[in-house]
């Protein structure tokens, strides 16, 4: 249908809604563009289309706002009143896929609003946050929180699971819960009389596998699929692979994963290239589970996957993006079973440069599922540890191969596996040489691994070992991701890029000031590349303060995100990069698969043409941050539980951050994050130097700096919140002077007077 002359475009409508100083409904839009009565009929249909496309949403009163944003006037619910008296509220109605924003409320009268109260407010975006201006107080509601019950005499108190939550709330109704239970409660009231009412008992917070449940409840991570989604997954799981697929079952493709992997997205194979035009080069295949064949746009599975954004991995469980019949079975590349794959065929030069690439839909039969440690041992010709099989765990599909296909050949063992792996290693050495040449950011930061027994009890917490096998798979995956991005660019097709922008000037200035305290020069005028930071670490060498510098370099980096506008990947030193290799667990990869299927005519399951890559990128980036936070908090809870048996002991700790009220430290080799308050450092006064991130004793000159290792006594380890607290070892420091003897001092921040503090005051 032809657009009437006066009818605005979608972008013009979005611009008007964004800039209007009043709620913008259909009437206001029509008036702004001078539409006739006939135009208004078409406008109504256009606004409905925009809502269906996810471009706009309607607020109460039929006013419109940009999807993912906030209406100019809306109903908010007060979520918290912090210790400083600041009021924070959240939208009462929020249907966007991104997490709801938190707004700071500008009260007309301080203390007028309490937790759970509802307000009609005018909203305003300010910098990186939102401000709410109350217009009217509405009938109150309750604000939910998760916490643990504590009994004191005849009264119950609720302690929240947040590390920063120092307050306890009196409980008016405990329901069927008892002291020590983890509960979901509703808070209501005004400070100082905020009370809580238990609405659901969640169980024992210290029981095995409870720590991940705390994160799931706290962050609102969906952990159950609808009946329609499960039914659809079961139906598509039985789909017979009748599409025209390249048959790669004769190739010994292997999947190398963690020993405890729950799903297997990717598998690899390599051999010397017989192309005379590529002397000394390699042919490689990166086979990725063909999730797009099973999960079609607009289906129940697709909507559920997009709402989750990614799988969330905890030490004791995984909350999958897709139902288990797909994520752990049909789409998982299991040894000896026929599987649908999207194959990335790579031609690699002797120097490790990608010479060419192509993508096909294929059928693969994985020769072996191998743990990283086992693959490394085979290549190094070491005896394998016993894992109940080559790859550990269940390695054979529960679904039989179709009757008209040959049964799987026996899995290769011993020298057979070694013959498969050695060409993979040789090709990888070429890829690694090319990686070293482009000089990506090289930060050697250990990852903690929580080992549980079969009952979910903690056996150990230790840094995960870093092997060549890990680097090998990373480099093959990076090569496939680059090929996917460049292949889509060649077809001028939409790309969901993985974007990592260079550090901001503000962060670089802070890094420069910090490095100066160690006598390390850093020029701001130069072109900043990853190699710039590698050179800084090379200058530092193996100095004692190397961990501090490495930590600060990491903090100077921006956060990676997804989007359709390419800005390169700074950390990897790549101009084009897209996630392609994990469609079982990341929605971004599924989008890239669909784009490849559409662009290269690989069959059904491609894009439907209505995808808003920008909006989807924002959504899945926010959901990724939610997952990372939930995973990190859960690890902290496990670490605190593991360390709870060592409370009172002296441990070796490393300072990870310094503030004017103390410093944070982590237990070396284990992890965790705990506070050492400045008030407990003794009777001396400490000056906080923000530029060098140090606390300096004014009398003794004692220094506490980020990255420094020292002996501390573990005073507290709270598994529910994941918080640790440290004290100085016996004999270190002195008791603080009595209050009347304490002089008032000014702690300076970068040479400027700050608020008046002394170490005995919180």
């Amino acid at each position: 249908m032809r657009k009437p002359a006066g009818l605005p475009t979608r972008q013009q409508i979005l611009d008007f809604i964004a800039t209007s100083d009043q709620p913008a409904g259909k009437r206001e839009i029509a008036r702004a563009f001078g539409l006739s009565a006939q135009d208004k009929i078409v406008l109504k249909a256009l606004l409905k289309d925009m809502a269906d496309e996810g471009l706009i949403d309607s607020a109460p009163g039929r006013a419109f706002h940009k999807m993912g944003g906030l209406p100019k006037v809306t109903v908010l619910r007060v979520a918290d009143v912090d210790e400083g008296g600041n009021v924070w509220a959240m939208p009462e109605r929020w249907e966007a896929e991104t997490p709801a924003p938190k707004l700071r409320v500008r009260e007309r009268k301080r203390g007028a609003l309490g937790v759970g109260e509802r307000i009609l407010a005018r909203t305003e975006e300010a910098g990186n946050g939102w401000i709410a201006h109350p217009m009217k107080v509405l009938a109150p509601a309750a604000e939910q929180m998760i916490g643990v019950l504590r009994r004191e005499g005849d009264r119950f108190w609720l302690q929240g699971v947040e590390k920063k939550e120092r307050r306890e709330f009196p409980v008016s109704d405990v329901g069927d819960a008892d002291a020590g239970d983890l509960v979901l409660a509703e808070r209501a009231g005004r400070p100082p009389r905020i009370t809580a009412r238990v609405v659901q008992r969640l169980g024992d917070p210290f029981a095995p596998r409870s720590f991940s449940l705390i994160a799931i409840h706290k962050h609102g991570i969906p952990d159950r699929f609808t009946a329609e989604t499960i039914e659809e997954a079961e139906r598509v799981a039985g789909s017979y692979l009748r599409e025209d697929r390249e048959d790669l079952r004769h190739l010994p493709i292997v999947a190398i994963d963690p020993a405890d992997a729950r799903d297997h997205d990717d598998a690899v194979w390599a051999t010397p290239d017989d192309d005379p035009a590529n002397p000394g080069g390699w042919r490689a295949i990166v086979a990725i589970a063909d999730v797009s064949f099973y999960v079609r746009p607009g289906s129940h599975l697709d909507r559920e996957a997009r709402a989750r954004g990614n799988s969330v991995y905890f030490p004791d469980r995984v909350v999958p993006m897709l139902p288990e019949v797909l994520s752990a079975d049909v789409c998982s590349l299991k040894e000896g079973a026929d599987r649908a794959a999207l194959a990335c065929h790579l031609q690699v030069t002797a120097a490790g440069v990608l010479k060419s690439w192509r993508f096909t839909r294929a059928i693969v039969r994985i020769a072996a599922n191998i743990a990283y440690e086992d693959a490394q041992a085979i290549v190094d010709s070491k005896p394998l540890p016993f894992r109940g099989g080559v790859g550990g765990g269940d390695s054979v599909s529960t679904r039989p191969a179709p009757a008209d296909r040959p049964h799987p050949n026996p899995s290769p063992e011993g020298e057979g596996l070694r013959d498969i792996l050695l060409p993979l290693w040789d090709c990888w050495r070429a890829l690694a040489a090319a990686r070293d040449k482009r000089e990506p950011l090289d930060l050697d930061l250990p990852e903690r691994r929580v080992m549980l027994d079969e009952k979910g009890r903690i056996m150990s917490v230790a840094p995960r070992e870093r092997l060549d096998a890990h680097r090998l798979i990373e480099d093959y995956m990076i090569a496939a991701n680059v090929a996917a991005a460049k292949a889509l660019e060649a077809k001028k097709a939409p790309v969901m890029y993985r974007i990592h922008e260079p550090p901001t000037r503000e962060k670089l200035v802070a890094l420069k000031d910090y490095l100066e305290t160690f006598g390390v020069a850093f020029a701001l005028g130069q072109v900043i590349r990853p190699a710039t930071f590698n050179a800084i670490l090379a200058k530092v060498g193996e100095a004692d303060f190397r961990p501090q510098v490495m930590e600060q370099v990491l903090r100077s980096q921006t956060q990676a995100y997804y989007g359709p506008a390419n800005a390169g990947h700074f950390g990897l030193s790549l101009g084009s990069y897209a996630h392609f290799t994990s469609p079982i667990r990341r929605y971004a990869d599924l989008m890239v698969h669909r784009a490849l299927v559409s662009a290269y005519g690989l069959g059904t399951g491609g894009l439907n043409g209505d995808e808003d890559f920008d909006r989807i990128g924002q959504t899945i980036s926010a959901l990724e941050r939610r997952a990372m936070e939930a995973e990190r908090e859960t690890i902290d809870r496990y670490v605190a539980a593991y360390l709870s048996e060592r409370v009172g002991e002296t441990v070796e700790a490393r300072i990870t951050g310094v503030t004017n009220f103390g410093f944070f430290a982590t237990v070396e080799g284990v992890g965790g994050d705990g506070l050492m308050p400045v008030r407990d450092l003794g009777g001396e006064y400490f000056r906080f130097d923000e530029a060098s991130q140090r606390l300096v004793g004014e009398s003794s000159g004692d220094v506490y700096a980020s990255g420094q290792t020292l002996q501390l006594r573990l005073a507290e380890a709270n598994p529910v919140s994941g918080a640790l607290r440290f004290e100085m070892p016996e004999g270190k420091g002195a008791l603080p002077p009595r209050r009347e003897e304490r002089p008032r001092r000014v702690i300076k921040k970068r040479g400027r007077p700050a608020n008046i503090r002394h170490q005995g005051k919180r």
Side-chain angles (χ1 to χ4, degrees):
M1 181 176 64
R2 185 178 178 185
K3 182 175 75 68
L7 195 67
T9 64
R10 283 170 166 77
Q11 189 58 51
Q12 287 173 326
I13 291 174
L14 289 173
D15 291 343
F16 174 73
I17 292 172
T19 57
S20 175
D21 57 0
Q22 61 180 330
K26 182 164 71 72
R27 180 182 302 174
E28 288 74 22
I29 296 171
R31 184 184 301 121
F33 291 96
L35 302 186
S36 65
Q38 188 64 33
D39 289 343
K40 292 177 184 177
I41 297 174
V42 184
L43 174 66
K44 182 178 180 181
L46 176 59
L47 292 172
K48 184 180 183 303
D49 288 344
M50 291 177 68
D52 292 342
E53 294 166 11
L55 296 174
I56 58 173
D57 193 10
S58 58
R62 307 308 299 167
F64 294 99
H65 62 275
K66 183 180 178 181
M67 180 66 80
L70 280 168
K72 292 283 192 301
V73 175
T74 192
V75 176
L76 304 174
R77 187 184 71 252
V78 176
D80 192 23
V81 181
D82 63 27
E83 291 179 331
N86 300 307
V87 178
W88 300 90
M90 300 180 72
E92 184 171 66
R93 177 175 176 268
W94 186 258
E95 297 178 0
E97 294 168 339
T98 53
K102 211 169 187 180
L103 300 87
R104 182 170 178 175
V105 181
R106 288 187 174 169
E107 294 180 285
R108 296 174 182 172
K109 181 182 177 183
R110 192 172 180 84
L113 295 173
V115 173
E117 291 196 275
R118 299 162 65 241
I119 58 173
L120 183 67
R122 179 171 57 83
T123 64
E124 172 190 358
E125 194 166 8
N128 295 325
W130 289 82
I131 301 294
H133 303 274
M135 300 168 62
K136 181 181 181 182
V137 178
L138 307 174
E143 172 65 21
Q144 291 188 332
M145 70 174 287
I146 297 173
V148 176
L149 287 178
R150 180 178 69 82
R151 186 167 188 163
E152 189 177 283
D154 295 332
R155 300 191 68 183
F156 283 89
W157 297 83
L158 182 70
Q159 172 65 57
V161 299
E162 293 276 6
K163 280 186 181 180
K164 296 180 180 179
E165 182 59 81
R166 306 287 181 184
R167 298 168 294 177
E168 288 189 333
F169 302 95
V171 181
S172 60
D173 181 5
V174 298
D176 62 351
D178 202 350
D181 283 344
L182 180 70
V183 298
L184 181 66
E186 292 180 340
R187 289 184 300 162
R190 291 185 176 88
R193 296 187 177 274
I194 298 178
T195 60
R197 180 178 70 87
V198 174
V199 295
Q200 183 182 354
R201 178 182 178 274
L202 301 178
D204 180 358
F206 301 102
R209 298 188 172 91
S210 285
F211 300 136
S212 56
L213 283 177
I214 294 174
I216 289 168
H217 279 281
K218 176 188 168 185
H219 292 279
I221 296 171
D223 62 337
R224 288 179 173 81
F225 292 98
T226 64
E228 295 85 356
T229 303
I230 294 291
E231 181 183 349
E232 186 174 271
E234 291 284 353
R235 186 174 67 254
V236 302
S239 300
Y240 186 61
L241 305 180
R242 293 188 181 277
E243 289 195 356
D244 182 19
R245 289 179 176 269
E246 181 181 18
D247 193 342
L248 299 177
R249 287 174 291 178
H250 62 288
L251 295 178
I253 303 174
V254 294
I256 305 175
D257 293 290
D260 56 354
R262 279 97 160 183
D263 48 53
H264 307 277
D265 292 272
D266 55 83
V268 290
W269 170 85
T271 190
D273 195 355
D274 55 7
D275 184 354
N278 188 28
W282 302 87
R283 286 189 297 121
I285 293 175
V286 179
I288 306 299
D290 189 1
V291 176
S292 64
F293 174 73
Y294 298 99
V295 181
R296 303 296 173 88
S299 63
H300 289 293
L301 284 166
D302 181 50
R303 287 195 292 271
E304 189 85 49
R306 187 187 296 189
R308 294 174 180 229
N310 46 255
S311 297
V312 188
Y313 291 85
F314 300 109
D316 62 299
R317 75 184 72 216
V318 58
V319 180
M321 186 179 78
L322 300 172
E324 188 173 356
V325 68
L326 295 180
S327 62
D329 188 10
V330 174
C331 290
S332 189
L333 302 182
K334 292 187 174 183
E335 178 181 316
D338 288 355
R339 288 291 184 258
L342 196 56
C344 174
H345 298 256
L346 299 172
Q347 192 175 32
V348 182
T349 70
V353 177
L354 295 185
K355 181 178 176 66
S356 68
W357 50 80
R358 64 185 178 91
F359 291 84
T360 65
R361 266 186 157 157
I363 297 174
V364 298
R365 183 177 298 154
I366 302 305
N369 290 115
I370 315 174
Y372 284 116
E373 295 82 0
D374 293 350
Q376 191 69 55
I378 292 169
V379 171
D380 296 341
S381 297
K382 296 177 182 177
L384 294 181
F386 177 74
R387 298 183 189 278
V390 172
D394 177 19
S395 62
V396 180
S397 171
T398 57
R399 293 178 177 270
D404 62 339
R405 301 224 178 117
H407 289 288
N409 295 321
S411 300
E413 296 181 1
E415 286 302 314
L417 274 175
R418 183 174 166 80
D419 290 343
I420 294 170
L421 295 176
L422 286 179
L424 272 169
W425 250 254
D426 289 339
C427 178
W428 165 65
R429 289 187 182 96
L431 291 172
R435 177 201 62 208
D436 293 343
K437 187 174 181 180
R438 74 169 188 269
E439 295 187 276
L441 187 61
D442 186 15
L443 294 177
D444 186 17
L445 298 167
E447 177 187 356
R448 286 174 293 167
R449 183 183 185 186
V450 176
M451 296 294 293
L452 307 176
D453 64 16
E454 67 280 357
K455 294 184 179 180
R457 295 171 301 197
I458 305 167
M459 295 170 58
S460 65
V461 181
R464 193 183 294 269
E465 188 179 8
R466 184 87 169 138
L467 304 170
D468 280 350
H470 293 94
R471 298 181 180 91
L472 174 138
I473 292 300
E474 283 180 8
D475 283 334
Y476 276 108
M477 297 306 109
I478 289 171
N481 289 337
V482 170
K486 289 186 175 294
L488 290 172
E489 289 172 350
K491 289 285 188 177
K492 294 184 169 47
V495 186
M496 184 63 78
Y497 290 102
R498 178 63 167 178
I499 302 164
H500 182 224
E501 296 183 5
T504 63
R505 180 170 176 80
E506 181 183 16
K507 288 188 174 183
L508 292 174
V509 169
L511 178 63
K512 179 179 183 296
D513 292 344
Y514 181 77
L515 292 174
E516 283 178 353
T517 64
F518 296 104
V520 178
F522 178 53
L524 291 178
Q526 62 183 311
V527 176
I528 302 298
R529 299 184 297 115
T532 308
F533 298 109
N534 295 340
I536 291 172
L537 295 175
K539 285 181 187 176
V540 171
E542 297 304 317
D544 292 342
F545 56 86
R546 180 182 176 85
Q548 296 128 281
V549 174
M550 197 176 298
E551 195 83 32
Q552 203 66 22
V553 168
L554 177 64
R555 291 179 181 178
S556 71
Q557 304 303 304
T558 60
Q559 191 166 34
Y561 62 95
Y562 295 106
N566 188 20
H569 196 293
F570 177 81
L572 292 175
S573 194
L574 291 168
S576 297
Y577 192 68
H579 276 168
F580 159 77
T581 56
S582 296
I584 290 176
R585 62 185 180 92
R586 290 190 303 228
Y587 194 80
D589 302 54
L590 178 56
M591 294 286 290
V592 171
H593 277 232
R594 288 173 177 169
L596 287 166
V597 168
S598 294
Y600 285 86
L602 300 180
T604 57
L607 300 173
N608 61 15
D610 294 333
E611 292 88 354
D612 183 340
F613 272 60
D614 187 49
R615 183 171 63 86
I616 294 173
Q618 292 177 32
T619 298
I620 59 181
S621 296
L623 294 174
E624 178 189 49
R625 290 190 288 272
R626 178 182 71 177
M628 290 170 62
E629 188 174 347
E631 291 169 355
R632 183 173 59 249
E633 288 178 1
T634 301
I635 292 289
D636 284 346
R637 291 188 178 97
Y638 271 106
V639 168
Y642 181 69
L643 290 172
S644 62
E645 297 180 358
R646 298 181 61 184
V647 169
E649 295 182 15
T650 298
V651 297
E652 185 176 10
R654 181 171 59 86
I655 298 176
T656 57
V658 183
T659 70
N660 59 353
F661 55 82
F663 59 79
F664 292 92
T666 184
V667 179
E668 284 285 80
V670 177
D673 190 36
L675 175 66
M676 176 69 221
V678 70
R679 67 174 181 271
D680 294 338
L681 291 177
E684 186 179 5
Y685 297 94
F686 284 82
R687 181 173 54 83
F688 174 51
D689 187 330
E690 187 176 24
S692 62
Q693 293 290 291
R694 300 189 305 171
L695 285 169
V696 182
E698 292 198 344
S699 300
S700 66
D702 287 348
V703 173
Y704 297 101
S706 181
Q708 178 182 342
T709 57
L710 68 166
Q711 298 292 312
L712 296 174
R713 190 160 68 89
L714 183 61
E716 180 184 337
N718 186 339
V720 176
S721 66
L724 308 177
R725 186 171 62 82
F726 296 106
E727 294 177 347
M728 297 302 290
E730 297 297 334
K732 295 288 185 181
L735 291 174
R738 294 193 303 274
R739 182 175 297 275
E740 61 271 17
E741 296 174 351
R742 293 174 184 163
R744 297 172 68 84
R745 295 287 189 116
V746 175
I747 295 178
K748 295 184 178 180
K749 290 187 177 183
R750 301 184 69 178
R752 300 189 303 272
N755 54 323
I756 296 177
R757 292 176 177 267
H758 50 73
Q759 67 93 40
K761 180 178 177 181
R762 296 195 179 194

